[in-house]
Amino acid sequence: SKYTIVDKETCIACGACGACAPQIFTYDDEGLSYVSIDENAGISVIPDKLVDDLLDAYEGCPTNSIKISEMAFNGDPLKFG
Ligand code: F3S
């Protein structure tokens, strides 16, 4: 299983992730990305059919702000380093 979360401290609102994975990422009123599925808590398993999109977004983020783990983040993007 994969979980994901955006580090909004480093996101520069480039908009690439939502283009790659519109069913996972959306933007707040400043254009910063967050995971729409769980309000960026990193606690929801990403459905298998969306994992390819997730990996595309992960690889495309210019600031490495998208975090992915096999375990839940519980709201902390830096939980696993
Ligand atoms: Fe931000 Fe990276 Fe997405 S900079 S808008 S999390 S591609």
Side-chain angles (χ1 to χ4, degrees), residues 6 10-18 27 31-33 57 60-66:
V6 175
T10 58
C11 172
I12 57 170
C14 81
C17 53
Y27 306 105
L32 300 176
S33 174
C61 178
T63 57
N64 298 315
S65 297
I66 296 170

Side-chain angles (χ1 to χ4, degrees), residues 13-34:
C14 81
C17 53
C20 289
Q23 294 174 91
I24 302 174
F25 300 101
T26 190
Y27 306 105
D28 69 13
D29 54 13
E30 296 179 326
L32 300 176
S33 174
Y34 66 94

